[in-house]
Amino acid sequence: MKVSKKVTGVEYAIRDIVLAAKKVEQKGMKVDYLNIGDPVQFGFQPPDNVKQALIDAVNKGENYYSASEGLLELREEIAKKENAKGLSISAEEILVTNGVSEGLDMVISSIIEEGDEVLLPGPSYPPYASYVRLHGGVPVEFAVDLNNSTPDIDDIKSKITSKTVAICLISPNNPTGVVFNENSLKELVELANQHNLYIICDEIYDQIIFDEKFVGIGKVAGDSPVIVLNGFSKVHLMSGWRIGYIAFNQSPQLEAIREHLPKLARVRIATSLPVQYAALESLRGPQDYISHFVTEIKKHRDLVIKRLNEMPGISCPNPNGAFYAFPKIEDNRFGTDKEFVTKLLETKGVLTVHGSGFGKQYGSGHFRLVYLPSLEILDSAMNKIEDFVS
Ligand SMILES: Cc1ncc(COP(=O)(O)O)c(C=O)c1O
């Protein structure tokens, strides 16, 4: 029977590539998985008090449908977190979702009509382009200077048309680790305001920062139509529990979406209530597990970036946040980035993701690797990649 054209176009390179790895494993080769940005799969667990909060909620009988918008106490705590980053909102402006993924789907489906264009940083996390396409829109990539961590404002200006409805920012970015500074964020907000665009900003890696301080979009938002997406999968090590949120800035331009988007929350009923109690504990309890995690993976970043830049034909800027390296393949001995990644997998058993999976225009000619595995595994994977490119 037929399926919709919309669904056939959906791609998610990070997981699609795993099928190729399984085949390599079936042939008896061991595979190092450097493809998936999930800290919990690499041994970083949520702290015991957070696990206990989940267990306690279940044992106390909190096993029913929660309010669609989410638990009030959690929304209050989330508002505090976002206000500390610069917004000025209350629990009313928070909607709890099944991860940023669901929040993104809700936001995009609420604002896109057939043919509408959405500006995305090039390269960017694949679901942004996928959801825009799924809802009938057109993703338009804009250039980012990966060495200076700055968006190319002139490029963005040249790509704004009468069909552009929104600009998405991801800071720190997946796959590049680029973190936009305050000045860049200010320029982007001004530009969006001039053209009446929604500003959707994904800050899921907001506390995974290494060198320079993080500045959230909230700091420069004023009363602009800013929608922040955030969640508990990365910083709070709760990826498998599926929880995130949408934070709406206090902006008159967001009145219509504030009225209508919550209907999408009601039709999907609610997010898991025990998990919401765990998320509450992760915000209220001791926060030192986050700095331990970041201190550890900073060592991983330093090793991987140094090793990559020592390899012939490879260069890689130093990422300031998240847990990804996005090296450039400097010569064309290897064919396309997808061929590079496939050959690296088949000959050395190292699974990375082709850069074009994060946007063809700016992602091609690169590959992404996750530096969450132990230093030992990373060092051995770097040896294999070095061998391969040599
Ligand atoms: C930028 C970005 N946003 C969202 C997500 C997914 O978030 P969640 O687990 O909350 O759905 C990821 C996961 O890799 C990501 O990199």
Side-chain angles (χ1 to χ4, degrees):
M1 295 179 81
K2 85 174 183 106
V3 294
S4 72
K5 274 205 194 77
K6 289 187 294 194
V7 78
T8 57
V10 174
E11 276 176 42
Y12 190 57
I14 301 163
R15 281 177 178 251
D16 295 347
I17 193 88
V18 173
L19 300 177
K22 296 288 169 209
K23 280 193 195 144
V24 169
E25 273 177 339
Q26 273 162 14
K27 286 185 195 151
M29 187 183 259
K30 187 183 151 290
V31 174
D32 291 331
Y33 284 85
L34 306 191
N35 66 311
I36 186 121
D38 180 357
V40 189
Q41 288 189 37
F42 295 100
F44 298 98
Q45 286 283 327
D48 287 345
N49 60 310
V50 173
K51 289 182 186 165
Q52 195 58 49
L54 179 78
I55 295 163
D56 289 347
V58 171
N59 285 336
K60 276 188 201 147
E62 311 283 1
N63 300 308
Y64 45 90
Y65 290 141
S66 95
S68 295
E69 293 77 10
L71 190 67
L72 181 61
E73 282 168 282
L74 174 61
R75 292 162 68 210
E76 283 169 349
E77 209 59 40
I78 291 170
K80 271 194 220 157
K81 169 177 168 156
E82 291 302 330
N83 288 347
K85 287 160 57 188
L87 285 177
S88 189
I89 58 174
S90 68
E92 281 289 292
E93 278 78 44
I94 305 294
L95 199 149
V96 179
T97 59
N98 290 292
V100 167
S101 308
E102 188 192 42
L104 174 65
D105 187 11
M106 286 178 177
V107 170
I108 297 294
S109 63
S110 300
I111 65 174
I112 298 287
E113 285 181 303
E114 205 61 35
D116 283 345
E117 293 170 9
V118 177
L119 288 157
L120 304 178
S124 60
Y125 179 57
Y128 279 80
S130 291
Y131 278 126
V132 169
R133 283 197 202 98
L134 187 65
H135 294 298
V138 182
V140 177
E141 295 174 66
F142 65 82
V144 176
D145 182 334
L146 302 187
N147 292 309
N148 294 325
S149 300
T150 47
D152 184 335
I153 300 289
D154 289 333
D155 187 56
I156 300 174
K157 281 184 187 157
S158 74
K159 289 173 177 167
I160 295 176
T161 73
S162 59
K163 298 213 168 236
T164 312
V165 292
I167 179 161
C168 294
L169 311 175
I170 304 171
S171 179
N173 181 274
N174 175 5
T176 60
V178 162
V179 184
F180 288 152
N181 65 24
E182 185 169 345
N183 197 38
S184 294
L185 293 172
K186 231 188 240 162
E187 283 183 291
L188 289 163
V189 168
E190 272 167 24
L191 189 60
N193 280 333
Q194 280 161 18
H195 296 272
N196 205 27
L197 308 179
Y198 285 100
I199 303 149
I200 299 160
C201 191
D202 182 327
E203 296 184 352
I204 195 168
Y205 300 100
D206 57 4
Q207 293 180 74
I208 308 177
I209 295 283
F210 307 119
D211 308 311
E212 285 146 48
K213 229 180 114 250
F214 171 78
V215 179
I217 191 86
K219 183 127 189 252
V220 298
D223 67 351
S224 307
V226 168
I227 299 173
V228 175
L229 298 175
N230 206 336
F232 294 81
S233 295
K234 314 292 180 178
V235 171
H236 299 281
L237 308 171
M238 288 165 54
S239 51
W241 292 350
R242 311 304 305 129
I243 182 159
Y245 58 88
I246 304 172
F248 297 96
N249 190 23
Q250 295 264 17
S251 166
Q253 287 139 287
L254 293 182
E255 258 173 40
I257 193 170
R258 293 289 316 284
E259 182 186 343
H260 295 284
L261 184 146
K263 294 183 207 162
L264 297 176
R266 286 176 225 139
V267 292
R268 62 74 157 120
I269 305 186
T271 64
S272 158
L273 186 54
V275 169
Q276 293 188 62
Y277 280 104
L280 181 61
E281 176 62 20
S282 81
L283 291 175
R284 280 189 180 160
Q287 300 292 296
D288 51 343
Y289 71 98
I290 302 172
S291 52
H292 291 152
F293 170 50
V294 176
T295 306
E296 181 58 33
I297 59 165
K298 184 171 186 284
K299 291 184 214 153
H300 297 206
R301 179 203 63 168
D302 292 345
L303 169 90
V304 161
I305 302 303
K306 178 172 176 293
R307 291 290 310 270
L308 286 168
N309 281 312
E310 284 165 0
M311 295 180 195
I314 298 290
S315 69
C316 189
N318 204 22
N320 183 27
F323 31 63
Y324 309 102
F326 197 63
K328 187 168 181 206
I329 309 159
E330 296 280 5
D331 60 44
N332 52 14
R333 279 180 296 149
F334 303 99
T336 66
D337 54 321
K338 191 145 188 205
E339 285 163 345
F340 177 96
V341 162
T342 309
K343 282 182 213 157
L344 175 63
L345 170 68
E346 289 172 355
T347 59
K348 300 289 170 190
V350 178
L351 182 65
T352 59
V353 186
H354 45 290
S356 50
F358 299 86
K360 295 218 164 35
Q361 193 173 352
Y362 301 103
S364 297
H366 296 75
F367 62 106
R368 188 197 79 167
L369 58 86
V370 168
Y371 49 79
L372 288 166
S374 68
L375 285 169
E376 211 184 338
I377 293 177
L378 286 173
D379 202 36
S380 144
M382 289 302 121
N383 290 342
K384 293 176 193 169
I385 299 175
E386 185 160 38
D387 231 36
F388 177 72
V389 296
S390 303

